[in-house]
Amino acid sequence: MAESSRLGQSIDSFVDSSCSLTQQAASLDTITSLVKNGVLSVEGLVREMEMYLTTTDNIIRARGILLLGEVLACLVSKPLENATIHSLIGFFTDRLADWKCLRGALVGCLALMRRKLDAGMVTDTDAKAVAHSFLQNLQVQSLGQHDRKLCFELLECLLECYPDSVAPLGDELVYGICEAVDSEKDPQCLLLTFRIIEVLARLFPDQSGPLASFAGDLFEILGCYFPIHFTHPKAEDLGIKRDDLSEALMLAFSSTPFFEPFAIPLLLEKLSSSLPFAKVDSLKYLSSCTLKYGAERMLKHAGAIWLAIKDAIYNSIQEPALSFTSESLVGLGFQENEIAKEALTLLQRVIVQSDSLYLSLIVKDEDINMILNTITSYESYNDIYSQGRLKLHVVGRFLSISARSSIASCNRVFESFFPRLMEILGLPVKNLSADHSPIVSSLISKRLNFGALYLCIELLASYRDLTAGSKEIASKSISASETCYGMLQSYSNLLTEAFCSTLVTSPQDADIYFGVKGLQILATFPGYVSPMLISEFESILITLMSIITLHFKKTLLWKLSLKALVNIGSFIDEYHESEKVSSYMGVVVEKSISLVSLDDFTMPFPLKLEAISGIGASGLNYMLKIVRGLEEAIYTNLSEFYAHENMKSPEITIRLLECYSNKVLPWIHENGSFDEVLLRFPVNVWSQIESHVDFSIQVQEMELLDATMTAMRHAVAFCSVESQNKIIQKAYSILSSSTFFPLKEFTSLTIQFQLGGLQLARKIDNLSYRDEWILSLFASVVIAARPQTPIPNLKEILQLFMTTLLKGSVPAAQALGSIVNKLGKESNELKISSDCTLEEALETIFRTKLWSSHDNGALMKCSGTNNGSEMSFADSCLGVVNNNLPQIHAITGLSWIGKGLLLRGHEKLKDVTMIFLEFLLKNNKADAFPLKQNSLESSSERDLHPSVIKSAADAFHILMSDSEVCLNRKFHAVIRPLYKQRFFSTMMPILQPLIMKNDSSLSRSMLCRAFAHIISDTPLTPILSEAKKLIPIILDCLSMLNKDIQDKDILYSLLLVLSGILTDKNGQEAVIENVHHVINNLTKLIAYPHMMLVRETAIQCLVAMSELPHARIYPMRIQVLRAISNALNDPKRAIRQEAVRCRQAWASIASRSLHF
Amino acid sequence: MTLGLINANPIVHAKKERVARTEDPHGDDAVDPLEIYDFVRDIRDPEHPYSLEQLSVLSEESITVDEKLGRILITFTPTIQHCSMATVIGLCLRVKLQHCFPPHYKVDIKVSPGSHANEESVNKQLNDKERVAAALENPNLRQLVDECLYSNEL
């Protein structure tokens, strides 16, 4: 009962046209759900609605029928009985005649017609009745837009789903559709219309069918839409774009061959339109129609289409934008726009469809022949005026597209043009019996005709692409018996010679470009169809290689040749042509290796390296060979250095090492892991050092050491754990055999050990160069090691590094940082292999107190022992405190260790930073300058030298910045996510109050410095959330840092942070409170003399500030404008331009007037 | 007084490509004609929605600069001989350069010889401090100048 009353209410509220749309939708939902859930059957609903469906009140009847239709539309997937469907469709079919309630009838029909078979479909007879009723009763074009759309949907549905039942309607149907779609204008309806015509064409493919007789009428309706001119302002409104309509119309155009007599003339005519999109569309439609209409029908249009294509291309290609010197150039450098592209696509289509027809058109074409005749008069590229170049380009495109389409057409094109081109180039047919050498030599003296050269290369390229494009096609259909193969074979020798001679003799870029390209094409035919003999291939390689070695002064030629060689190398590698690969190896790879190993100084060394790394990168086998060669060269050079035989500068060795680590190693790593290759280099370098006991590298060759270390690091970093283990064992054995390594004494943390440390320190003081090399290289190995790689005898190594870092060895410090970063992460593995856990290592490091001789208080805290006992440690460093260097070294070392801890998020970091902070705050206690150096005096009473404090502040830079050399992903560092943010948020609460309450100028400035280091390396997001508190300190820092020229980099990075804050919305809010100070600071920085970027950024910050609320910045306006007017006179142009912008921005906040 | 536009159908030229200067941190960044030209080329014509560059009123060659003496000389060519807008164009140039260069530069603005019917009087008017100041006091003129300088129509 309740259900039926709800139903009644819902029906009432839907039918009542005074109800709102949402109410109607709600009631529709209610009814639908009732039916869906089986509470109510469809018959029941119809019975319930009887009164509404049959009343004579037009409005109520219309609403009632619409309701029924809408409900059915929601029930498409609910199974219904056939009888129900039959009676419903019968009802709606009848209603189609009732124009007053047409909407509902259409919705209902559509809903029923769209049903799928499994839910019960409309029968064929019923569908036929619908179609019949539709054609008889509906005047589609007299209806509103939405109704029209429904009509078209219904039509489309009929044609698509019930083709068998509507087909018998024949003429009547076609005529009805013509009438319905005539002069439709709505885009949505048009899309449907085009679709209907397309489906209709599918329905009546017969020559004698109704469509054939109506094709003219139908096309008359369709044709007037072409080209689609769609000016709807916002395509998003309807979700329809011009392209959609154009696409749909194209499908309609090409739907049936019966349109051919009407469509093709129309399209050809529209090609002459001045609208570019009309041309593009015409060409697209032509391509599509060509495919659908078939070769036979298109036959009679061939001539016209060919003319149209020529015309379109000639008129649309742009002037060349690139010159031959640019490396990205292809062809003659003409830019093809969309019209030209479509035209060429069309040409390709028609040639594929009927090649003989179009080829004969091309062959006989007067324009092409004329151009071929005229090119004889142009000897070089510069002789040809731009129109001529354009024509040449177009002919080249025509020939290459036609030759590319199939092997038969390729033959035809070669037959017709190749001999002529050869004739123009002055190359006679090779007579097998006769000796051709005199001809060749005469040829070399003569320049090649540029036009013919260009066309010839286009032809060769398309033949090559055709053969290389698809392997199976190539092997089947292209054989030695083909015409083009034979032709090319007979000319290949001459062509090679001709191209080679062009390269050497011609001074013009264009000739060189095409000469190299020609050689490259000749060399890259796949083996089984290559018309080239292997000897000819080799001679090409030899020519190119001789250019590499001899003509390095001609930059373009050299670069192009290298590119060609690389190209050839990768081509033959890809096609597995063993014969060619072996000759490539012999000619190119061997030769380039010999380049670097020979002491030949005619060729610049960087070019040699560029050549060798380029050639290596073209294939794995080449690279492996080249790596060997390169390594050999490095070993020879290095051993000469060790033995002190080589007096020349170490520059070459450094270059070799750089090339090895920057280009070769990454390539090898990317192209598969070759552990044995990577392993070889470090092991050999170590062996070399081992064998050269008498070592005599000079001090000034530190750069060489650096380069060797870099190469070592990279090589080790790419190795697997096992290989790294081998390297480390080897290195350790050499290290432990060296003179300075009496490590046996350090066994425990006792006084005795400290004495030992002292001895060690002494020894290291007079390290030999060999020892220094060993130490630094060992440090590099440790830096690059993976966390899983065990380090032998870790405790001793730690001691060693700690002692050496005091001497200022940064690699040792970095290695220590690396060890504490990676140690013990995978503890289960490491406990076995390593003799020391992370805790022990840290204990060792912090107990040694090498770096805190002056600062026992801080040290005590960090090592966890009581600070009363400091005197018991006769610090090993006390003997050397006469100068500040050891302290600075110690601080640097500690900061690298700190960085290692920071990256892994270890809590010991806190102690390290506390030590630094102690240093920074040290000078609070006394103002006296450090003078006393009595080693017996209690260290805590002494003052520190400012440079020491500064280095403590700079330690924060090391902590926060990303290092290239160590402790990064490349060198397998353990990096916790967001470590910078974490450090930032722990440090800020400590630093902020310290800076605020500190009044000693020195330590305040040093604290600011530390602050600046931290903040400038922190990501912007955490800074923004704290911006309010940070801005005053940032401003303090800015004003403090702008005094010293040495601080310019840190000043700049801090300013970048400020500008980041200024450009963010939250940041701006924070700035508003400090507008006055910010502007004061920025206006001072506008005149910063030491760095242009600082001035520029300051002005940009001011521009950003002009966006702040007017009331806050207005008082500062005059101040800013004054400061800016000085910047107008800046020596740098970029600053002046920024200043003008800034001045404009600030002047316009009040008025446009600049009077102030 | 003629109604409508003074030059109803001006010849519009293509804009020249803007060449980005090569980044040379140590190069000599002295003020050169191109820099001045870059500032003034986009000033809109008072009559048409085209820039002075497009109407060929200005070119890089028509600007000379002497940085040591701090002098700038701009010679412009009105599109037609009787152009009454010549003074407005000149005024625009002067205001723009005032904004873009420090006050110690002396700016001379002239119409190119033979390009204007009242060449002398226009030149005199454009380089007379008092008259320039007076013109800028005039709200209508001021508005016209500002529209030309900061127009987004181009």
Side-chain angles (χ1 to χ4, degrees):
Chain A
M1 197 58 218
E3 297 293 348
S4 72
S5 72
R6 246 177 77 201
L7 177 66
Q9 271 173 12
S10 300
I11 295 176
D12 279 343
S13 78
F14 189 90
V15 171
D16 183 0
S17 48
S18 63
C19 284
S20 71
L21 284 175
T22 44
Q23 276 171 322
Q24 291 178 1
S27 48
L28 178 62
D29 279 350
T30 322
I31 299 166
T32 316
S33 62
L34 283 176
V35 182
K36 242 183 205 162
N37 300 336
V39 181
L40 184 71
S41 67
V42 178
E43 293 89 341
L45 178 67
V46 173
R47 238 173 278 130
E48 195 73 29
M49 289 182 62
E50 186 188 2
M51 196 258 290
Y52 298 103
L53 297 177
T54 54
T55 175
T56 48
D57 185 328
N58 289 333
I59 297 170
I60 293 180
R61 194 174 70 242
R63 294 294 300 172
I65 293 174
L66 181 61
L67 174 60
L68 187 58
E70 298 270 13
V71 171
L72 288 174
C74 301
L75 298 174
V76 172
S77 52
K78 184 184 166 71
L80 291 179
E81 282 172 33
N82 284 339
T84 317
I85 295 178
H86 175 71
S87 62
L88 282 171
I89 193 75
F91 170 72
F92 285 119
T93 311
D94 282 348
R95 289 297 96 194
L96 283 177
D98 181 0
W99 67 267
K100 283 175 183 133
C101 30
L102 189 61
R103 169 83 57 96
L106 285 171
V107 172
C109 281
L110 200 54
L112 291 167
M113 304 294 293
R114 278 183 178 161
R115 293 177 72 84
K116 296 279 177 310
L117 192 58
D118 50 354
M121 266 174 94
V122 175
T123 57
D124 279 355
T125 24
D126 288 337
K128 191 171 176 184
V130 173
H132 208 74
S133 170
F134 185 98
L135 294 173
Q136 277 209 321
N137 296 317
L138 291 182
Q139 297 290 320
V140 179
Q141 282 309 316
S142 63
L143 302 174
Q145 187 262 342
H146 189 72
D147 289 339
R148 287 208 308 278
K149 195 177 154 201
L150 288 173
C151 288
F152 289 132
E153 277 174 7
L154 185 56
L155 260 183
E156 190 197 350
C157 187
L158 274 170
L159 291 169
E160 288 236 42
C161 310
Y162 302 90
D164 298 335
S165 38
V166 291
L169 290 171
D171 284 358
E172 197 190 344
L173 181 69
V174 178
Y175 181 74
I177 287 177
C178 282
E179 204 178 33
V181 302
D182 192 9
S183 66
E184 177 58 60
K185 287 199 178 62
D186 179 72
Q188 283 173 315
C189 295
L190 271 178
L191 267 185
L192 289 167
T193 317
F194 298 154
R195 175 92 189 116
I196 287 170
I197 293 177
E198 191 196 335
V199 183
L200 186 69
R202 226 185 292 149
L203 197 59
F204 300 113
D206 257 357
Q207 186 68 50
S208 54
L211 191 66
S213 47
F214 274 107
D217 297 335
L218 201 51
F219 193 81
E220 203 172 312
I221 297 167
L222 210 54
C224 59
Y225 294 111
F226 182 83
I228 298 278
H229 187 65
F230 188 52
T231 51
H232 203 277
K234 283 177 196 152
E236 313 89 66
D237 289 0
L238 304 167
I240 294 178
K241 295 191 203 79
R242 197 194 97 84
D243 289 350
D244 301 336
L245 281 170
S246 174
E247 179 83 22
L249 183 62
M250 182 169 88
L251 290 176
F253 262 50
S254 54
S255 56
T256 167
F258 302 133
F259 286 154
E260 172 266 325
F262 318 104
I264 303 292
L266 174 76
L267 293 172
L268 287 174
E269 185 199 315
K270 292 289 178 191
L271 259 183
S272 56
S273 155
S274 59
L275 295 171
F277 69 80
K279 283 193 182 186
V280 174
D281 272 4
S282 302
L283 291 165
K284 265 190 197 159
Y285 283 37
L286 276 173
S287 298
S288 158
C289 290
T290 307
L291 280 185
K292 290 283 168 59
Y293 294 175
E296 205 179 316
R297 274 179 180 273
M298 294 303 289
L299 196 65
K300 53 179 174 290
H301 300 292
I305 289 180
W306 166 238
L307 284 179
I309 291 173
K310 264 201 325 187
D311 207 48
I313 290 181
Y314 277 125
N315 292 327
S316 63
I317 288 181
Q318 313 286 312
E319 282 290 294
L322 301 163
S323 68
F324 280 98
T325 40
S326 93
E327 281 177 63
S328 56
L329 184 72
V330 271
L332 281 177
F334 283 95
Q335 286 180 332
E336 285 169 4
N337 61 10
E338 211 183 342
I339 298 176
K341 269 183 212 139
E342 288 298 336
L344 290 171
T345 321
L346 175 60
L347 179 65
Q348 202 181 353
R349 287 254 170 97
V350 292
I351 289 179
V352 169
Q353 193 175 55
S354 43
D355 50 358
S356 60
L357 175 65
Y358 279 93
L359 284 174
S360 61
L361 279 175
I362 292 175
V363 170
K364 285 186 198 132
D365 189 85
E366 282 180 11
D367 285 347
I368 294 183
N369 283 313
M370 199 183 74
I371 289 164
L372 282 179
N373 290 334
T374 49
I375 53 173
T376 44
S377 58
Y378 307 129
E379 279 301 313
S380 77
Y381 177 72
N382 293 348
D383 292 346
I384 313 176
Y385 55 98
S386 79
Q387 199 59 34
R389 286 178 201 172
L390 174 70
K391 281 185 180 156
L392 197 58
H393 171 77
V394 173
V395 172
R397 294 291 284 152
F398 285 156
L399 294 189
S400 88
I401 281 185
S402 37
R404 236 170 260 243
S405 58
S406 72
I407 198 64
S409 44
C410 187
N411 279 337
R412 181 82 189 271
V413 174
F414 262 77
E415 263 171 28
S416 349
F417 295 104
F418 201 65
R420 251 171 96 186
L421 292 173
M422 291 300 108
E423 200 183 309
I424 300 171
L425 284 175
L427 304 176
V429 192
K430 182 162 78 177
N431 195 337
L432 288 173
S433 59
D435 187 356
H436 61 267
S437 52
I439 306 165
V440 171
S441 56
S442 74
L443 204 154
I444 289 171
S445 60
K446 185 177 156 269
R447 282 191 60 162
L448 293 180
N449 179 294
F450 176 75
L453 177 70
Y454 172 70
L455 292 179
C456 170
I457 282 165
E458 284 290 309
L459 278 182
L460 290 177
S462 40
Y463 180 43
R464 196 267 320 262
D465 290 352
L466 192 65
T467 51
S470 167
K471 282 185 195 175
E472 65 267 44
I473 289 178
S475 56
K476 254 184 244 158
S477 59
I478 302 177
S479 63
S481 60
E482 295 290 348
T483 326
C484 39
Y485 178 84
M487 280 185 161
L488 203 52
Q489 198 179 29
S490 58
Y491 280 110
S492 61
N493 192 14
L494 282 175
L495 275 175
T496 315
E497 302 258 0
F499 290 152
C500 292
S501 73
T502 311
L503 294 189
V504 186
T505 54
S506 172
Q508 284 202 5
D509 287 348
D511 286 341
I512 289 172
Y513 177 82
F514 286 106
V516 174
K517 193 171 172 192
L519 286 180
Q520 185 190 324
I521 290 167
L522 285 178
T524 49
F525 277 98
Y528 37 86
V529 288
S530 173
M532 305 286 294
L533 299 172
I534 196 79
S535 65
E536 286 164 350
F537 177 75
E538 268 177 22
S539 83
I540 291 176
L541 293 183
I542 290 169
T543 313
L544 289 175
M545 214 43 217
S546 75
I547 290 170
I548 297 287
T549 49
L550 299 174
H551 297 273
F552 44 82
K553 280 191 184 125
K554 297 180 185 168
T555 322
L556 178 75
L557 176 62
W558 193 86
K559 283 211 167 123
L560 289 172
S561 305
L562 180 58
K563 236 166 111 180
L565 276 177
V566 171
N567 212 312
I568 295 169
S570 49
F571 181 88
I572 55 177
D573 192 52
E574 191 183 324
Y575 280 77
H576 307 296
E577 298 185 25
S578 50
E579 207 180 347
K580 284 185 182 172
V581 167
S582 65
S583 63
Y584 189 82
M585 278 286 190
V587 177
V588 182
V589 179
E590 298 278 345
K591 178 87 182 165
S592 60
I593 291 172
S594 74
L595 275 182
V596 287
S597 45
L598 282 179
D599 288 339
D600 172 22
F601 291 108
T602 48
M603 187 174 168
F605 206 73
L607 286 184
K608 284 185 190 176
L609 289 176
E610 192 182 334
I612 196 170
S613 56
I615 289 167
S618 63
L620 188 60
N621 293 326
Y622 317 136
M623 188 53 113
L624 292 179
K625 193 145 191 173
I626 277 177
V627 170
R628 258 189 196 286
L630 211 56
E631 282 172 3
E632 288 304 326
I634 293 175
Y635 304 148
T636 347
N637 275 312
L638 278 181
S639 72
E640 280 173 13
F641 274 107
Y642 299 148
H644 199 27
E645 284 164 1
N646 195 331
M647 289 304 175
K648 37 178 204 205
S649 74
E651 196 193 353
I652 286 180
T653 323
I654 292 173
R655 283 259 163 79
L656 278 171
L657 286 164
E658 273 170 0
C659 173
Y660 183 77
S661 49
N662 295 338
K663 289 192 177 149
V664 177
L665 277 178
W667 195 92
I668 294 182
H669 183 67
E670 271 167 32
N671 290 274
S673 53
F674 292 90
D675 233 26
E676 69 281 12
V677 182
L678 294 167
L679 177 65
R680 203 167 54 210
F681 176 75
V683 169
N684 283 345
V685 168
W686 280 109
S687 313
Q688 264 195 319
I689 292 179
E690 192 177 20
S691 58
H692 287 84
V693 185
D694 181 25
F695 211 72
S696 52
I697 283 192
Q698 299 303 306
V699 194
Q700 61 266 32
E701 281 143 18
M702 282 309 283
E703 273 180 48
L704 182 62
L705 175 58
D706 279 345
T708 320
M709 279 166 62
T710 313
M712 176 71 83
R713 268 201 311 270
H714 282 94
V716 173
F718 287 133
C719 281
S720 66
V721 176
E722 296 87 63
S723 319
Q724 284 188 346
N725 198 13
K726 281 180 207 156
I727 298 169
I728 263 193
Q729 294 296 345
K730 170 120 193 162
Y732 180 75
S733 70
I734 295 164
L735 181 76
S736 52
S737 68
S738 69
T739 49
F740 65 97
F741 205 69
L743 287 166
K744 284 111 213 155
E745 289 123 275
F746 320 111
T747 43
S748 65
L749 294 166
T750 58
I751 302 286
Q752 201 184 352
F753 150 69
Q754 290 295 333
L755 290 173
L758 190 59
Q759 281 171 11
L760 190 62
R762 290 235 175 89
K763 280 210 166 143
I764 281 168
D765 250 345
N766 41 27
L767 264 185
S768 72
Y769 292 122
R770 178 172 189 261
D771 296 338
E772 198 177 336
W773 268 69
I774 293 175
L775 191 72
S776 303
L777 286 178
F778 189 74
S780 332
V781 173
V782 171
I783 286 170
R786 289 171 193 269
Q788 297 85 352
T789 312
I791 296 167
N793 208 355
L794 188 62
K795 277 183 192 163
E796 287 168 19
I797 301 285
L798 285 177
Q799 294 294 346
L800 174 69
F801 281 147
M802 284 194 302
T803 331
T804 42
L805 80 82
L806 266 192
K807 303 283 153 232
S809 162
V810 178
Q814 290 167 340
L816 272 179
S818 213
I819 292 175
V820 297
N821 180 257
K822 293 165 190 170
L823 191 62
K825 199 69 182 173
E826 279 80 9
S827 51
N828 49 346
E829 217 180 308
L830 272 158
K831 275 221 172 105
I832 312 159
S833 50
S834 153
D835 55 354
C836 177
T837 63
L838 175 66
E839 282 67 35
E840 283 167 22
L842 287 175
E843 185 88 338
T844 319
I845 291 170
F846 287 107
R847 287 256 179 163
T848 325
K849 3 179 108 194
L850 286 170
W851 34 74
S852 43
S853 55
H854 284 216
D855 198 30
N856 287 331
L859 175 81
M860 281 305 113
K861 269 185 226 155
C862 79
S863 60
T865 53
N866 201 328
N867 62 354
S869 58
E870 73 244 37
M871 291 309 287
S872 65
F873 291 96
D875 278 332
S876 56
C877 284
L878 285 185
V880 283
V881 287
N882 303 0
N883 53 42
N884 301 299
L885 270 178
Q887 276 182 321
I888 293 174
H889 292 327
I891 288 170
T892 317
L894 193 56
S895 55
W896 282 107
I897 295 170
K899 187 172 172 63
L901 293 172
L902 170 66
L903 288 180
R904 72 186 294 173
H906 197 272
E907 56 189 7
K908 260 285 200 272
L909 171 71
K910 207 166 63 191
D911 302 332
V912 177
T913 46
M914 286 322 287
I915 296 177
F916 293 144
L917 281 181
E918 290 279 338
F919 271 107
L920 293 180
L921 293 171
K922 203 77 185 169
N923 265 43
N924 265 353
K925 294 164 192 164
D927 285 338
F929 216 67
L931 292 168
K932 295 167 262 178
Q933 273 119 28
N934 189 344
S935 61
L936 292 174
E937 198 177 277
S938 169
S939 54
S940 60
E941 281 173 25
R942 249 181 294 142
D943 271 318
L944 294 163
H945 193 273
S947 65
V948 177
I949 306 180
K950 197 170 166 190
S951 73
D954 288 339
F956 286 96
H957 180 62
I958 296 179
L959 282 179
M960 286 296 279
S961 64
D962 301 315
S963 170
E964 280 283 296
V965 181
C966 68
L967 288 172
N968 51 32
R969 295 233 174 270
K970 208 165 163 192
F971 298 123
H972 316 293
V974 180
I975 298 177
R976 267 184 82 176
L978 299 179
Y979 74 94
K980 285 185 177 175
Q981 279 92 322
R982 202 167 295 128
F983 188 65
F984 168 80
S985 48
T986 45
M987 284 314 289
M988 279 308 125
I990 304 170
L991 272 178
Q992 252 172 323
L994 283 178
I995 294 176
M996 289 303 192
K997 64 177 192 231
N998 206 316
D999 6 283
S1000 143
S1001 69
L1002 178 64
S1003 58
R1004 188 178 158 88
S1005 75
M1006 286 305 157
L1007 282 168
C1008 277
R1009 203 180 164 78
F1011 171 87
H1013 280 310
I1014 294 174
I1015 206 171
S1016 55
D1017 276 314
T1018 310
L1020 199 57
T1021 335
I1023 296 180
L1024 283 174
S1025 57
E1026 299 267 306
K1028 249 178 211 161
K1029 279 186 247 164
L1030 295 179
I1031 282 178
I1033 310 179
I1034 293 180
L1035 296 177
D1036 252 17
C1037 294
L1038 283 178
S1039 59
M1040 224 168 269
L1041 289 168
N1042 74 11
K1043 283 161 199 146
D1044 193 351
I1045 182 170
Q1046 284 174 342
D1047 296 334
K1048 61 182 183 185
D1049 289 320
I1050 168 171
L1051 177 70
Y1052 177 55
S1053 44
L1054 194 60
L1055 193 58
L1056 284 181
V1057 175
L1058 182 64
S1059 86
I1061 295 177
L1062 276 171
T1063 44
D1064 184 90
K1065 201 160 178 310
N1066 294 334
Q1068 280 173 353
E1069 280 165 25
V1071 171
I1072 287 173
E1073 291 173 20
N1074 297 297
V1075 173
H1076 194 70
H1077 294 294
V1078 177
I1079 286 189
N1080 272 343
N1081 260 301
L1082 288 176
T1083 47
K1084 265 181 228 150
L1085 287 177
I1086 288 179
Y1088 188 73
H1090 308 302
M1091 197 180 189
M1092 175 190 137
L1093 285 171
V1094 169
R1095 300 199 294 272
E1096 194 175 4
T1097 316
I1099 297 177
Q1100 280 161 350
C1101 286
L1102 281 174
V1103 175
M1105 288 197 73
S1106 70
E1107 308 279 314
L1108 294 180
H1110 188 263
R1112 301 308 294 261
I1113 55 168
Y1114 186 76
M1116 262 70 75
R1117 181 171 156 268
I1118 289 174
Q1119 183 192 354
V1120 172
L1121 287 175
R1122 287 226 171 91
I1124 282 292
S1125 70
N1126 293 333
L1128 287 176
N1129 211 9
D1130 199 278
K1132 288 285 169 193
R1133 183 174 294 121
I1135 307 275
R1136 292 197 294 266
Q1137 276 160 354
E1138 279 300 324
V1140 169
R1141 255 185 67 209
C1142 182
R1143 186 184 162 108
Q1144 173 56 29
W1146 276 83
S1148 62
I1149 63 170
S1151 69
R1152 280 185 173 165
S1153 145
L1154 280 176
H1155 298 292
F1156 54 84
Chain B
M1 185 76 190
T2 48
L3 288 173
L5 299 171
I6 295 161
N7 182 6
N9 198 9
I11 303 163
V12 180
H13 302 261
K15 283 189 191 180
K16 260 203 287 183
E17 205 184 326
R18 310 282 155 120
V19 236
R21 286 169 188 264
T22 43
E23 284 290 321
D24 181 11
H26 307 294
D28 177 30
D29 270 352
V31 179
D32 60 7
L34 181 58
E35 184 179 344
I36 299 171
Y37 186 50
D38 278 337
F39 281 129
V40 294
R41 66 205 292 181
D42 289 328
I43 295 176
R44 207 201 65 182
D45 184 81
E47 255 188 4
H48 303 284
Y50 296 109
S51 69
L52 295 185
E53 176 188 10
Q54 282 172 308
L55 296 177
S56 203
V57 173
L58 284 171
S59 68
E60 196 187 332
E61 292 75 31
S62 66
I63 300 171
T64 51
V65 58
D66 185 335
E67 212 199 359
K68 273 185 205 140
L69 297 176
R71 292 188 71 127
I72 298 172
L73 172 65
I74 298 190
T75 318
F76 69 96
T77 317
T79 49
I80 49 168
Q81 288 252 319
H82 305 281
C83 189
S84 64
M85 291 293 168
T87 48
V88 181
I89 296 174
L91 200 59
C92 290
L93 290 173
R94 183 166 291 283
V95 173
K96 183 78 188 182
L97 292 183
Q98 260 175 17
H99 292 185
C100 301
F101 287 92
H104 66 78
Y105 274 94
K106 180 174 188 322
V107 181
D108 289 314
I109 297 172
K110 288 184 176 149
V111 293
S112 60
S115 68
H116 200 273
N118 304 325
E119 193 180 321
E120 248 176 73
S121 69
V122 170
N123 285 346
K124 193 166 157 63
Q125 189 178 346
L126 285 178
N127 293 303
D128 185 330
K129 243 199 273 186
E130 304 279 329
R131 290 170 77 175
V132 168
L136 291 178
E137 298 277 316
N138 179 337
N140 291 333
L141 259 179
R142 179 87 220 178
Q143 196 192 348
L144 184 59
V145 167
D146 283 343
E147 271 168 21
C148 292
L149 292 189
Y150 306 111
S151 162
N152 298 323
E153 276 177 51
L154 296 176

